[in-house]
Amino acid sequence: MRLGLLNLVIAFAGAAVWATPPEFTHKLKESVAPPRGWERHGPAPPDHIIKLRIGLPQPSFPELERHLYEVSDPDHERYGQHLSKEEVEALVAPHPESVELVSQWLAEHGFDESDLERSSAKDWVTIRVPVRVAEMMLDTTYSVWKHNDGDYLVRTTSYSVPEHLHDHIDVIQPTTMFGRFKGQKSTIHSVEDVPEQKNTVALTSTHAATAPVVDASCNTTITVRCLKQLYNAVNYTVKAAKNNSVALTGYLEQFANIQDLQSFYAEQVPAAVGTNFTVISVNGGLNNQTLAEAGAEANLDVQFAFGVSFPTPGTYYTTAGRPPFIPDIGTPTDTNEPYTDWLDFILSHPNPPLSISTSYGDDEQTVPESFARRACAGFAQLGVRGVSLMFSSGDGGVGDGEEDPALQQCFTNDGKNATKFIPGFPASCPFVTAVGGTTFVPETGIFFSGGGFSNFFKRPSYQDVAVKNFLGRLPKGIYKGLFNPAGRAIPDVAAQSNRFRIFLSGRPVLIGGTSASSPAFAGFVALLNDARLAKGLPPLGFLNPFLYTKGVSGFNDITTGNNPGCGTPGFNATQGWDAVTGLGTPNFGKLVKLVT
């Protein structure tokens, strides 16, 4: 059935029917326990439209992963030899039999090729269907689910597909995903303008001998100047801006206000006044420049990432989609996690930006493992193409994202209600760089810095030495059963994350969270790429194999602070890698020598 007829079919449901497929034996594909905090509110409206994404297997993905680690390992002869878009798509393409069988199944339910949206590599197929058709296709029943904070979703707790398709479909969503992609920011505090303080204080850290002095005001207010002082980049001059790029992703109706950016530049980066960034709307993402409607998250991201990396060209992706369903107003479409729409878009682009930060995430356990693995595989595709991806590590310490540790619910979603630390996703994907948070001068790990160990992804080999050292120093017994010591560990690195001075709706405010750390770190990665490009070297791409080997000496080791949650003190920052601040904060002056 063509999409152009979809509304007509819905309006005249009594007069028209979807094609009745032949009988198949359905077999359960995925099932989840009703997640904590959600209760079934009622039946899903049968004509409610779902944007259904079907992931086809990627049989050659292990080969792509091999390429990724080789081109990202600074000791490998192929370091920096990133793959092209076409080479990557060939490595993630599904088997032709999978494409054919899934296409036949969809045709048997009334869809022809013009109704299907295929990803650039043909490994995802997207269709828009009413609930009643999705229920027939997946032998399931959708319901409206209500969260205890008032959000609604249209989801099911299990679905099936014809048995002969089980080896040809990895995942179908939205079905069992109850995640709510959210910004990683803490409370915003409005403040009065404060004159810049002239006195300074020496940075006391293991790298004090090579670091410049830092304005005393940086203990209470973080500016671009503070970050460049703290991270030893005051005297760096951008040399290859025309070949470089840095970008930010925005979701949930967030957009960055240009007038606010100009106010920020006038105060903190005067040379940038009058310059702008590129805005790209994905699936109708908003870019309303009404000053009063500016997004705090978006403004924070663009002002600091672009402020640190100026004059590197910047891009802001505003992606439409908000999963919560509003039953009383007949929401026309229930989207999937919107970052996968952005991922489809950016993977189809021949020249994606070289440094990209995302300040959004979710509790790992609210995302089905099958979906998390497919999204993570998408991030790997960007890495092997030479893109560095940064994600905020989260603002709940070792807990579930609730900033107040006393309110955290640290229980598993598997029906056992076991007490466990709650890692965040996508930060837990081993193919991205997770950025935690620090505060003050000298720096200390901040209490809300998300850290811990994945329950989905095993620890990658690049973390073995650093993480085993950390685990070996943990007190015996205290953490027993609370985390998966064999899991991918987060964060990888850290940066300042508190009291960032931005302009929002025409006024200066202070804002914090690992949503500040990630774009700030991405700005410094853009400067490292600039240094490489200026010498004719390729961009850094996937950072982690470098960070945990040659890059270790380019970080300020943070040895104080902890990230409480789940009724515990959480983990402690300590010598070497730790689950609060990772390897530490960047010493740009050292890193630039290491990468060039």
Side-chain angles (χ1 to χ4, degrees), residues 322-376:
R322 177 182 286 272
F325 167 75
I326 305 174
D328 297 332
I329 65 171
T331 307
T333 302
D334 189 19
T335 72
N336 203 342
E337 294 288 72
Y339 66 82
T340 54
D341 288 335
W342 173 80
L343 193 50
D344 280 352
F345 176 86
I346 200 69
L347 285 171
S348 70
H349 197 286
N351 297 297
L354 300 179
S355 173
I356 304 176
S357 171
T358 298
S359 292
Y360 295 78
D362 210 339
D363 300 339
E364 186 184 68
Q365 68 172 359
T366 66
V367 181
E369 183 174 350
S370 59
F371 182 83
R373 291 189 177 281
R374 281 303 297 258
C376 190

Short mmCIF file of all heavy atoms in Angstrom, two decimals, residues 322-376:
data_model
loop_
_atom_site.label_atom_id
_atom_site.label_comp_id
_atom_site.label_asym_id
_atom_site.label_seq_id
_atom_site.Cartn_x
_atom_site.Cartn_y
_atom_site.Cartn_z
N ARG A 322 10.14 13.28 19.32
CA ARG A 322 10.06 13.20 20.78
C ARG A 322 9.22 11.97 21.10
O ARG A 322 8.01 11.95 20.87
CB ARG A 322 9.41 14.46 21.34
CG ARG A 322 9.24 14.41 22.85
CD ARG A 322 8.55 15.66 23.36
NE ARG A 322 9.43 16.80 23.36
CZ ARG A 322 10.24 17.13 24.36
NH1 ARG A 322 10.28 16.37 25.44
NH2 ARG A 322 11.00 18.18 24.30
N PRO A 323 9.84 10.91 21.63
CA PRO A 323 9.11 9.67 21.83
C PRO A 323 7.82 9.75 22.63
O PRO A 323 6.86 9.07 22.28
CB PRO A 323 10.14 8.78 22.54
CG PRO A 323 11.45 9.30 22.07
CD PRO A 323 11.26 10.77 21.93
N PRO A 324 7.70 10.53 23.72
CA PRO A 324 6.46 10.46 24.50
C PRO A 324 5.21 10.73 23.67
O PRO A 324 5.15 11.65 22.85
CB PRO A 324 6.66 11.55 25.57
CG PRO A 324 8.13 11.60 25.75
CD PRO A 324 8.70 11.38 24.38
N PHE A 325 4.20 9.92 23.89
CA PHE A 325 2.90 9.99 23.23
C PHE A 325 1.95 10.78 24.11
O PHE A 325 1.97 10.67 25.33
CB PHE A 325 2.40 8.56 23.04
CG PHE A 325 0.95 8.45 22.64
CD1 PHE A 325 0.55 8.74 21.35
CD2 PHE A 325 0.00 8.04 23.56
CE1 PHE A 325 -0.77 8.60 20.98
CE2 PHE A 325 -1.33 7.90 23.20
CZ PHE A 325 -1.72 8.19 21.90
N ILE A 326 1.15 11.65 23.50
CA ILE A 326 0.18 12.45 24.27
C ILE A 326 -1.21 11.96 23.89
O ILE A 326 -1.75 12.32 22.84
CB ILE A 326 0.35 13.95 23.97
CG1 ILE A 326 1.80 14.39 24.24
CG2 ILE A 326 -0.62 14.78 24.83
CD1 ILE A 326 2.09 15.81 23.84
N PRO A 327 -1.81 11.11 24.72
CA PRO A 327 -3.05 10.44 24.32
C PRO A 327 -4.23 11.38 24.12
O PRO A 327 -5.14 11.07 23.36
CB PRO A 327 -3.31 9.46 25.46
CG PRO A 327 -2.56 10.01 26.63
CD PRO A 327 -1.37 10.69 26.06
N ASP A 328 -4.22 12.53 24.77
CA ASP A 328 -5.41 13.38 24.72
C ASP A 328 -5.49 14.26 23.49
O ASP A 328 -6.52 14.87 23.23
CB ASP A 328 -5.45 14.28 25.97
CG ASP A 328 -5.58 13.46 27.25
OD1 ASP A 328 -6.16 12.36 27.17
OD2 ASP A 328 -5.09 13.92 28.29
N ILE A 329 -4.39 14.38 22.73
CA ILE A 329 -4.45 15.26 21.58
C ILE A 329 -4.20 14.52 20.26
O ILE A 329 -4.04 15.14 19.23
CB ILE A 329 -3.45 16.43 21.72
CG1 ILE A 329 -2.01 15.92 21.72
CG2 ILE A 329 -3.73 17.25 22.95
CD1 ILE A 329 -0.98 17.05 21.65
N GLY A 330 -4.17 13.20 20.31
CA GLY A 330 -4.05 12.42 19.08
C GLY A 330 -2.74 12.64 18.36
O GLY A 330 -2.72 12.99 17.18
N THR A 331 -1.64 12.47 19.06
CA THR A 331 -0.33 12.63 18.44
C THR A 331 -0.28 11.85 17.13
O THR A 331 -0.54 10.64 17.11
CB THR A 331 0.77 12.11 19.39
OG1 THR A 331 0.60 12.75 20.65
CG2 THR A 331 2.15 12.42 18.85
N PRO A 332 0.06 12.49 16.00
CA PRO A 332 -0.03 11.79 14.71
C PRO A 332 1.01 10.70 14.51
O PRO A 332 0.75 9.71 13.84
CB PRO A 332 0.19 12.92 13.69
CG PRO A 332 0.95 13.97 14.44
CD PRO A 332 0.45 13.90 15.85
N THR A 333 2.19 10.87 15.08
CA THR A 333 3.26 9.89 14.86
C THR A 333 4.05 9.70 16.13
O THR A 333 4.40 10.65 16.81
CB THR A 333 4.20 10.37 13.73
OG1 THR A 333 3.45 10.56 12.54
CG2 THR A 333 5.28 9.33 13.46
N ASP A 334 4.35 8.45 16.44
CA ASP A 334 5.17 8.12 17.60
C ASP A 334 6.54 7.75 17.08
O ASP A 334 6.69 6.75 16.36
CB ASP A 334 4.54 6.94 18.35
CG ASP A 334 5.22 6.69 19.69
OD1 ASP A 334 5.90 7.59 20.18
OD2 ASP A 334 5.06 5.59 20.22
N THR A 335 7.56 8.54 17.41
CA THR A 335 8.87 8.30 16.82
C THR A 335 9.66 7.28 17.62
O THR A 335 9.35 6.96 18.75
CB THR A 335 9.69 9.59 16.76
OG1 THR A 335 10.10 9.93 18.08
CG2 THR A 335 8.90 10.73 16.18
N ASN A 336 10.73 6.84 17.00
CA ASN A 336 11.71 6.02 17.69
C ASN A 336 12.65 6.95 18.43
O ASN A 336 12.44 8.16 18.46
CB ASN A 336 12.48 5.20 16.65
CG ASN A 336 13.10 3.96 17.26
OD1 ASN A 336 13.24 3.84 18.47
ND2 ASN A 336 13.47 3.04 16.40
N GLU A 337 13.70 6.42 19.05
CA GLU A 337 14.72 7.29 19.62
C GLU A 337 15.23 8.17 18.48
O GLU A 337 15.74 7.67 17.48
CB GLU A 337 15.85 6.46 20.20
CG GLU A 337 15.47 5.63 21.40
CD GLU A 337 15.24 6.46 22.65
OE1 GLU A 337 14.22 7.17 22.70
OE2 GLU A 337 16.06 6.40 23.57
N PRO A 338 15.15 9.50 18.60
CA PRO A 338 15.46 10.36 17.45
C PRO A 338 16.92 10.32 17.03
O PRO A 338 17.23 10.66 15.90
CB PRO A 338 15.05 11.75 17.94
CG PRO A 338 15.01 11.67 19.42
CD PRO A 338 14.62 10.26 19.74
N TYR A 339 17.84 9.89 17.93
CA TYR A 339 19.23 9.91 17.51
C TYR A 339 19.49 8.89 16.41
O TYR A 339 20.48 9.02 15.67
CB TYR A 339 20.20 9.73 18.68
CG TYR A 339 20.18 8.42 19.41
CD1 TYR A 339 20.87 7.31 18.93
CD2 TYR A 339 19.51 8.28 20.60
CE1 TYR A 339 20.87 6.13 19.60
CE2 TYR A 339 19.50 7.08 21.29
CZ TYR A 339 20.19 6.00 20.79
OH TYR A 339 20.19 4.81 21.45
N THR A 340 18.64 7.89 16.27
CA THR A 340 18.85 6.96 15.16
C THR A 340 18.45 7.58 13.83
O THR A 340 19.00 7.23 12.79
CB THR A 340 18.08 5.65 15.39
OG1 THR A 340 16.70 5.95 15.62
CG2 THR A 340 18.63 4.90 16.58
N ASP A 341 17.49 8.52 13.86
CA ASP A 341 17.19 9.26 12.64
C ASP A 341 18.39 10.10 12.24
O ASP A 341 18.76 10.19 11.06
CB ASP A 341 15.97 10.17 12.86
CG ASP A 341 14.67 9.40 12.96
OD1 ASP A 341 14.60 8.28 12.41
OD2 ASP A 341 13.72 9.90 13.58
N TRP A 342 19.04 10.74 13.25
CA TRP A 342 20.25 11.51 12.94
C TRP A 342 21.35 10.58 12.43
O TRP A 342 22.07 10.92 11.47
CB TRP A 342 20.74 12.24 14.19
CG TRP A 342 22.06 12.91 13.95
CD1 TRP A 342 22.29 14.10 13.33
CD2 TRP A 342 23.37 12.38 14.28
NE1 TRP A 342 23.65 14.35 13.27
CE2 TRP A 342 24.33 13.32 13.84
CE3 TRP A 342 23.80 11.22 14.91
CZ2 TRP A 342 25.69 13.11 14.00
CZ3 TRP A 342 25.16 11.02 15.08
CH2 TRP A 342 26.09 11.96 14.63
N LEU A 343 21.47 9.41 13.03
CA LEU A 343 22.52 8.48 12.63
C LEU A 343 22.33 8.05 11.17
O LEU A 343 23.29 8.01 10.39
CB LEU A 343 22.52 7.27 13.56
CG LEU A 343 23.71 6.32 13.53
CD1 LEU A 343 25.02 7.07 13.65
CD2 LEU A 343 23.57 5.29 14.65
N ASP A 344 21.09 7.74 10.78
CA ASP A 344 20.83 7.42 9.38
C ASP A 344 21.25 8.56 8.47
O ASP A 344 21.86 8.36 7.41
CB ASP A 344 19.33 7.15 9.17
CG ASP A 344 18.92 5.74 9.59
OD1 ASP A 344 19.81 4.93 9.89
OD2 ASP A 344 17.71 5.48 9.63
N PHE A 345 20.90 9.77 8.89
CA PHE A 345 21.18 10.95 8.07
C PHE A 345 22.69 11.15 7.92
O PHE A 345 23.19 11.35 6.81
CB PHE A 345 20.54 12.19 8.71
CG PHE A 345 20.85 13.47 7.99
CD1 PHE A 345 20.07 13.88 6.91
CD2 PHE A 345 21.92 14.26 8.38
CE1 PHE A 345 20.36 15.06 6.24
CE2 PHE A 345 22.22 15.43 7.71
CZ PHE A 345 21.43 15.84 6.63
N ILE A 346 23.41 11.12 9.02
CA ILE A 346 24.84 11.44 8.96
C ILE A 346 25.62 10.34 8.25
O ILE A 346 26.61 10.61 7.55
CB ILE A 346 25.40 11.71 10.37
CG1 ILE A 346 26.69 12.50 10.30
CG2 ILE A 346 25.59 10.43 11.15
CD1 ILE A 346 26.52 13.92 9.82
N LEU A 347 25.19 9.09 8.38
CA LEU A 347 25.87 8.00 7.68
C LEU A 347 25.69 8.11 6.17
O LEU A 347 26.51 7.61 5.40
CB LEU A 347 25.37 6.65 8.17
CG LEU A 347 25.88 6.23 9.56
CD1 LEU A 347 25.16 4.97 10.04
CD2 LEU A 347 27.38 5.99 9.54
N SER A 348 24.60 8.74 5.73
CA SER A 348 24.37 8.91 4.29
C SER A 348 25.15 10.09 3.72
O SER A 348 25.20 10.28 2.51
CB SER A 348 22.88 9.12 4.03
OG SER A 348 22.43 10.39 4.50
N HIS A 349 25.76 10.88 4.59
CA HIS A 349 26.48 12.07 4.16
C HIS A 349 27.90 11.68 3.74
O HIS A 349 28.60 10.97 4.47
CB HIS A 349 26.54 13.09 5.31
CG HIS A 349 26.90 14.47 4.87
ND1 HIS A 349 28.18 14.81 4.51
CD2 HIS A 349 26.16 15.59 4.71
CE1 HIS A 349 28.21 16.09 4.17
NE2 HIS A 349 26.99 16.60 4.27
N PRO A 350 28.38 12.17 2.59
CA PRO A 350 29.72 11.75 2.13
C PRO A 350 30.85 12.33 2.95
O PRO A 350 31.93 11.74 3.03
CB PRO A 350 29.77 12.26 0.68
CG PRO A 350 28.75 13.36 0.62
CD PRO A 350 27.67 12.98 1.58
N ASN A 351 30.64 13.50 3.59
CA ASN A 351 31.72 14.14 4.36
C ASN A 351 31.20 14.62 5.71
O ASN A 351 30.98 15.82 5.90
CB ASN A 351 32.30 15.32 3.57
CG ASN A 351 32.94 14.88 2.27
OD1 ASN A 351 33.92 14.14 2.26
ND2 ASN A 351 32.38 15.34 1.16
N PRO A 352 31.02 13.72 6.66
CA PRO A 352 30.52 14.14 7.97
C PRO A 352 31.55 14.97 8.71
O PRO A 352 32.75 14.86 8.46
CB PRO A 352 30.24 12.82 8.68
CG PRO A 352 31.16 11.85 8.02
CD PRO A 352 31.26 12.27 6.59
N PRO A 353 31.12 15.81 9.66
CA PRO A 353 32.07 16.58 10.47
C PRO A 353 33.04 15.66 11.21
O PRO A 353 32.73 14.51 11.52
CB PRO A 353 31.17 17.34 11.45
CG PRO A 353 29.84 17.43 10.74
CD PRO A 353 29.72 16.15 9.99
N LEU A 354 34.21 16.18 11.51
CA LEU A 354 35.28 15.35 12.06
C LEU A 354 35.23 15.19 13.57
O LEU A 354 35.81 14.25 14.12
CB LEU A 354 36.64 15.94 11.65
CG LEU A 354 36.88 16.04 10.14
CD1 LEU A 354 38.25 16.65 9.86
CD2 LEU A 354 36.75 14.68 9.47
N SER A 355 34.56 16.10 14.28
CA SER A 355 34.43 16.03 15.74
C SER A 355 32.98 16.35 16.07
O SER A 355 32.49 17.43 15.74
CB SER A 355 35.38 17.04 16.41
OG SER A 355 35.16 17.10 17.80
N ILE A 356 32.28 15.40 16.70
CA ILE A 356 30.85 15.56 16.96
C ILE A 356 30.54 15.23 18.41
O ILE A 356 30.96 14.18 18.92
CB ILE A 356 30.00 14.64 16.04
CG1 ILE A 356 30.32 14.91 14.56
CG2 ILE A 356 28.51 14.86 16.29
CD1 ILE A 356 29.60 13.98 13.59
N SER A 357 29.80 16.11 19.06
CA SER A 357 29.41 15.90 20.46
C SER A 357 27.90 15.75 20.59
O SER A 357 27.14 16.46 19.94
CB SER A 357 29.88 17.07 21.32
OG SER A 357 29.36 16.99 22.63
N THR A 358 27.50 14.84 21.48
CA THR A 358 26.08 14.65 21.81
C THR A 358 25.92 14.69 23.33
O THR A 358 26.58 13.94 24.04
CB THR A 358 25.56 13.30 21.27
OG1 THR A 358 25.66 13.30 19.85
CG2 THR A 358 24.11 13.08 21.67
N SER A 359 25.04 15.58 23.79
CA SER A 359 24.83 15.75 25.23
C SER A 359 23.52 15.12 25.67
O SER A 359 22.82 15.66 26.54
CB SER A 359 24.86 17.24 25.59
OG SER A 359 26.14 17.77 25.40
N TYR A 360 23.17 14.02 25.08
CA TYR A 360 21.92 13.33 25.40
C TYR A 360 22.21 11.86 25.65
O TYR A 360 23.17 11.30 25.14
CB TYR A 360 20.91 13.45 24.24
CG TYR A 360 20.44 14.85 23.97
CD1 TYR A 360 21.24 15.75 23.28
CD2 TYR A 360 19.19 15.28 24.40
CE1 TYR A 360 20.83 17.04 23.03
CE2 TYR A 360 18.76 16.58 24.15
CZ TYR A 360 19.58 17.45 23.47
OH TYR A 360 19.16 18.73 23.23
N GLY A 361 21.35 11.22 26.44
CA GLY A 361 21.53 9.80 26.70
C GLY A 361 20.38 9.24 27.52
O GLY A 361 19.39 9.92 27.78
N ASP A 362 20.52 8.00 27.91
CA ASP A 362 19.47 7.32 28.66
C ASP A 362 20.11 6.25 29.53
O ASP A 362 21.27 5.89 29.35
CB ASP A 362 18.47 6.68 27.70
CG ASP A 362 17.08 6.61 28.28
OD1 ASP A 362 16.94 6.67 29.52
OD2 ASP A 362 16.12 6.48 27.50
N ASP A 363 19.32 5.72 30.47
CA ASP A 363 19.80 4.58 31.25
C ASP A 363 19.94 3.39 30.31
O ASP A 363 19.01 3.08 29.55
CB ASP A 363 18.81 4.24 32.36
CG ASP A 363 18.61 5.39 33.33
OD1 ASP A 363 19.49 6.26 33.40
OD2 ASP A 363 17.57 5.41 34.02
N GLU A 364 21.06 2.71 30.37
CA GLU A 364 21.31 1.60 29.45
C GLU A 364 20.20 0.56 29.51
O GLU A 364 19.77 0.02 28.48
CB GLU A 364 22.66 0.96 29.76
CG GLU A 364 23.08 -0.10 28.77
CD GLU A 364 24.38 -0.77 29.18
OE1 GLU A 364 24.37 -1.50 30.20
OE2 GLU A 364 25.41 -0.58 28.50
N GLN A 365 19.70 0.27 30.71
CA GLN A 365 18.74 -0.82 30.85
C GLN A 365 17.37 -0.51 30.26
O GLN A 365 16.55 -1.41 30.11
CB GLN A 365 18.61 -1.22 32.30
CG GLN A 365 17.95 -0.19 33.21
CD GLN A 365 17.68 -0.76 34.59
OE1 GLN A 365 17.96 -1.94 34.86
NE2 GLN A 365 17.11 0.04 35.46
N THR A 366 17.09 0.76 29.93
CA THR A 366 15.80 1.08 29.31
C THR A 366 15.85 0.88 27.80
O THR A 366 14.82 1.02 27.13
CB THR A 366 15.39 2.53 29.61
OG1 THR A 366 16.30 3.43 28.97
CG2 THR A 366 15.35 2.79 31.09
N VAL A 367 17.03 0.59 27.27
CA VAL A 367 17.20 0.39 25.83
C VAL A 367 17.43 -1.10 25.57
O VAL A 367 18.37 -1.67 26.12
CB VAL A 367 18.41 1.19 25.31
CG1 VAL A 367 18.58 1.01 23.81
CG2 VAL A 367 18.26 2.67 25.66
N PRO A 368 16.59 -1.77 24.78
CA PRO A 368 16.82 -3.19 24.51
C PRO A 368 18.23 -3.42 23.97
O PRO A 368 18.73 -2.64 23.14
CB PRO A 368 15.76 -3.53 23.47
CG PRO A 368 14.67 -2.52 23.70
CD PRO A 368 15.37 -1.27 24.11
N GLU A 369 18.86 -4.48 24.44
CA GLU A 369 20.24 -4.73 24.04
C GLU A 369 20.39 -4.85 22.53
O GLU A 369 21.38 -4.38 21.95
CB GLU A 369 20.76 -5.99 24.73
CG GLU A 369 22.23 -6.27 24.42
CD GLU A 369 22.78 -7.43 25.22
OE1 GLU A 369 22.10 -7.92 26.16
OE2 GLU A 369 23.92 -7.86 24.91
N SER A 370 19.41 -5.47 21.88
CA SER A 370 19.51 -5.64 20.42
C SER A 370 19.57 -4.29 19.72
O SER A 370 20.33 -4.10 18.76
CB SER A 370 18.30 -6.43 19.91
OG SER A 370 17.09 -5.77 20.24
N PHE A 371 18.79 -3.33 20.20
CA PHE A 371 18.79 -2.01 19.60
C PHE A 371 20.07 -1.26 19.95
O PHE A 371 20.66 -0.57 19.10
CB PHE A 371 17.57 -1.21 20.08
CG PHE A 371 17.49 0.16 19.46
CD1 PHE A 371 16.93 0.33 18.22
CD2 PHE A 371 17.98 1.26 20.14
CE1 PHE A 371 16.86 1.60 17.63
CE2 PHE A 371 17.91 2.53 19.57
CZ PHE A 371 17.35 2.69 18.32
N ALA A 372 20.53 -1.37 21.20
CA ALA A 372 21.76 -0.70 21.61
C ALA A 372 22.93 -1.16 20.74
O ALA A 372 23.77 -0.35 20.33
CB ALA A 372 22.04 -0.97 23.08
N ARG A 373 22.99 -2.44 20.47
CA ARG A 373 24.10 -2.97 19.66
C ARG A 373 24.04 -2.45 18.23
O ARG A 373 25.08 -2.15 17.63
CB ARG A 373 24.09 -4.49 19.69
CG ARG A 373 24.47 -5.06 21.05
CD ARG A 373 24.69 -6.56 21.03
NE ARG A 373 25.12 -7.04 22.34
CZ ARG A 373 26.36 -6.94 22.80
NH1 ARG A 373 27.30 -6.41 22.03
NH2 ARG A 373 26.69 -7.38 24.00
N ARG A 374 22.84 -2.33 17.67
CA ARG A 374 22.74 -1.81 16.31
C ARG A 374 23.10 -0.33 16.25
O ARG A 374 23.76 0.13 15.32
CB ARG A 374 21.34 -2.05 15.76
CG ARG A 374 21.09 -3.47 15.27
CD ARG A 374 22.10 -3.87 14.20
NE ARG A 374 21.98 -3.04 13.01
CZ ARG A 374 21.38 -3.42 11.89
NH1 ARG A 374 20.85 -4.62 11.80
NH2 ARG A 374 21.32 -2.63 10.85
N ALA A 375 22.64 0.45 17.23
CA ALA A 375 23.01 1.86 17.26
C ALA A 375 24.52 2.02 17.43
O ALA A 375 25.16 2.84 16.76
CB ALA A 375 22.27 2.58 18.38
N CYS A 376 25.10 1.21 18.30
CA CYS A 376 26.53 1.25 18.54
C CYS A 376 27.31 0.91 17.26
O CYS A 376 28.35 1.51 16.96
CB CYS A 376 26.88 0.29 19.67
SG CYS A 376 28.57 0.41 20.29
#
